[in-house]
Amino acid sequence: MHIGKAIRLERIFDRNTKRTIIVPMDHGVTVGPIAGLEKMRDTVTSLVAGGANAGLVHKGQVKLGHRMQGRDFGCIVHLSGGTCLSPFPNVKRLVTTVEEAIRLGADAVSVHVNLGDETEGQMLMDLGRVAASASEWGMPLLAMIYARGPKVPDEYDPNVVAHCARVGAELGADVVKVNYPGSAESFARVVECAGVPVVIAGGAKMDSTRDFLDMVRTSLDAGGSGLSVGRNVFQHHNPTRLVEVLNRIVHEDAPVDEAVKGYEDIL
């Protein structure tokens, strides 16, 4: 592996556990300043205090993650975007470049692709081009791959999720982010078929913190490399304490019951 890429990946993944807690905060482009993201600097500070490994933001928010004090925090710059106001909300276009992310001090970049959309071909082309540029610069690439379109009845179908993960790996991603298909057995196949580290998405805000923690635990047991979850973390009533519990699960390999001891207030 390119030494620069290896060094940058260690700013995203814990070098001892080879796992990560990533919190995406790119929602401002897609759906606006939703709850938990009104004051980005405060949100980042709370996540860092809990021990999250990295945050994922659009280029204009990088400056808010640079706090000049406290713990280090990996920076992933998201390169693609689209809004829910568009008549084509599943279309994601490149809005910046690997080179600009480097100038901003990014440790990694990410691209979003929705398989099954009518513009899938353009999104796949963008992913391939970004992968080539990222490889040239030694920049890690996270590919968020989902299946959303008229021919996709269930984006959580295990075979569909496995296809998503494989597409990301085939086109040059160093890490892929996909939906959790619902069971450790089905997710184990996703991980095996991908051949690169796989992290789970959080999806819509879940009603139960316990259900969320159980999902994280089972994904790790199946060979997952951690999580890249936004709303279920930054919209929690106490994100700092939730991330502390996630650290126990992800990096200390604790069962959920053990991880929440002393933290019952987060449930």
Side-chain angles (χ1 to χ4, degrees), residues 21 23 212-213 216 220 227 229 232-233 239 241-252 259 266:
I21 300 169
V23 184
F212 168 55
L213 296 176
V216 172
L220 297 171
L227 61 143
V229 173
N232 283 295
V233 176
R241 286 178 67 79
L242 176 62
V243 173
E244 289 174 350
V245 170
L246 287 170
N247 262 288
R248 289 181 169 185
I249 295 170
V250 174
H251 295 308
E252 299 176 19
I266 72 165

Side-chain angles (χ1 to χ4, degrees), residues 62-248:
V62 171
K63 59 185 178 292
L64 297 180
H66 182 54
R67 295 156 294 107
M68 296 176 285
Q69 60 183 356
R71 290 180 177 175
D72 198 8
F73 190 51
C75 175
I76 304 173
V77 173
H78 196 40
L79 304 188
S80 55
T83 81
C84 64
L85 304 177
S86 168
F88 310 104
N90 286 331
V91 179
K92 303 296 180 179
R93 299 292 193 191
L94 293 180
V95 293
T96 189
T97 64
V98 173
E99 290 80 5
E100 185 172 10
I102 291 171
R103 288 193 293 271
L104 289 168
D107 301 305
V109 294
S110 61
V111 173
H112 184 152
V113 173
N114 287 319
L115 300 182
D117 185 79
E118 290 86 345
T119 60
E120 172 191 285
Q122 181 63 52
M123 287 185 276
L124 290 176
M125 185 182 298
D126 289 343
L127 174 59
R129 288 174 174 171
V130 168
S133 179
S135 178
E136 180 179 357
W137 287 104
M139 177 64 75
L141 170 61
L142 165 66
M144 309 177 183
I145 314 285
Y146 308 108
R148 296 169 179 170
K151 292 178 65 177
V152 184
D154 180 9
E155 66 177 288
Y156 295 92
D157 179 278
N159 290 325
V160 171
V161 176
H163 192 174
C164 290
R166 188 57 176 261
V167 166
E170 292 266 359
L171 294 185
D174 300 291
V175 184
V176 293
K177 170 183 175 177
V178 295
N179 287 322
Y180 181 68
S183 71
E185 181 181 11
S186 59
F187 190 61
R189 178 173 178 268
V190 172
V191 172
E192 181 180 10
C193 293
V196 298
V198 181
V199 296
I200 59 168
K205 180 72 166 61
M206 298 174 72
D207 294 330
S208 165
T209 299
R210 176 65 194 229
D211 288 347
F212 168 55
L213 296 176
D214 285 338
M215 179 179 71
V216 172
R217 179 67 266 169
T218 54
S219 75
L220 297 171
D221 292 340
S225 295
L227 61 143
S228 176
V229 173
R231 283 167 290 188
N232 283 295
V233 176
F234 65 69
Q235 288 187 338
H236 192 271
H237 63 270
N238 195 329
T240 298
R241 286 178 67 79
L242 176 62
V243 173
E244 289 174 350
V245 170
L246 287 170
N247 262 288
R248 289 181 169 185

